[in-house]
Amino acid sequence: MRFFREAAHGARTAAVAVTSYVRGAPGTYLWLAALFVTTVAMHAMSPEFEDEFLRQRSTNIHELSRNPVRVLISSAFWIDGSGWLPYAVLYSVFHASAERWLGTWRWLAVAALSHVLATLISEGVLALAVRHGAAPQSAVNTLDVGVSYALAGVVAVLTYLVPTPWRYAYLLAVVAVYGTPLITGRTFTDLGHFTSVLIGLACYPLTRSAARTPPWQVRRCPPP
C-alpha cells in the first residue's frame, strides 16, 4: 500500500508541477495551442493549396509591400513544413522560461520585436539583392512563414538569466548555433535568425527588473 500511496503522491506532484509551469506562461501555451490548430489544418490541405495558402501569409517582399501588418501577424501562427511536437519542446524550454521570468508583456515584447525587426531587416537586404541582381526576381515571392525569429530572440535574451560564468558559455553556444549558418549558408533566413539574436541581446533593459528566482521553480505537493 505504501508503494501505491507514494506513486499517487508522485503523480499528484508531477501534475501540480506541470500545471504550475503552464499557468506561469499563459502566452506561450496559448500561442502553442494556436500553432497546433493551424498545423492540423495545414496537414488537411493538398500540397498545391497549402503552398498558395502559406504564400499569401508569407512575409516575403511582395506581401510585405501590400499587407505588412497582416502578414507579420499571420506568419507567426503557421509552421512551414515542420512538425508541431519539436516546437512544443522548444516553446516549453525557452519561451515558457522567458515568460515566467520576464512576465507575459516583456516576454511578448522580446518575441514581437525579434519577429518583426528581423523580418523587415532580412527582407530589406533581400530586396536590395534583387534590385542589384544578386538574387533572382522570383525571390520577391519566396515562402517565409514561421516562428523561428521570435524563438531566436527569446533564446538570446535568456542569456541574462544564466548566472556567470555559465552565461558566457551559453552566449557562445547561441552565437555559434545561429552564426555558423550565416557564415556557411548566407541566406536571408540565416541573416534573419542572427539578427533576431542581436535584437534579443539588445533587450537587456527589459530584463533589469525581472525576478531573479529560477523560472522553473514550481509549487510541490506536501508528502502524504
Side-chain angles (χ1 to χ4, degrees), residues 20 23 26 69 74 89 105 116 142 151 166 173 180 186 208 223:
S20 174
R23 289 180 63 183
V69 175
S74 62
V89 175
W105 291 111
V116 172
T142 189
L151 178 62
W166 307 112
T180 301
R186 293 180 292 181
R208 297 182 64 180

Side-chain angles (χ1 to χ4, degrees), residues 41-55 80 143:
M42 189 173 66
H43 287 167
M45 301 175 186
S46 67
E48 297 78 11
F49 181 80
E50 176 188 324
D51 184 75
E52 181 60 26
F53 182 86
L54 292 179
R55 203 169 298 279
D80 176 27
L143 186 61

Side-chain angles (χ1 to χ4, degrees), residues 53 73 107 169:
F53 182 86
I73 294 174
W107 157 77

Side-chain angles (χ1 to χ4, degrees), residues 57-136:
R57 288 152 181 80
S58 175
T59 50
N60 56 41
I61 298 169
H62 176 69
E63 293 296 336
L64 281 171
S65 65
R66 297 177 58 196
N67 303 290
V69 175
R70 178 179 67 81
V71 295
L72 282 167
I73 294 174
S74 62
S75 66
F77 290 94
W78 296 90
I79 301 172
D80 176 27
S82 302
W84 177 82
L85 189 57
Y87 281 94
V89 175
L90 292 171
Y91 269 52
S92 296
V93 173
F94 295 107
H95 275 299
S97 294
E99 185 178 3
R100 290 171 61 87
W101 171 46
L102 296 173
T104 297
W105 291 111
R106 282 180 290 181
W107 157 77
L108 185 60
V110 175
L113 285 170
S114 301
H115 173 68
V116 172
L117 295 180
T119 296
L120 295 178
I121 291 170
S122 60
E123 291 292 341
V125 170
L126 181 61
L128 287 174
V130 171
R131 178 177 300 178
H132 294 286

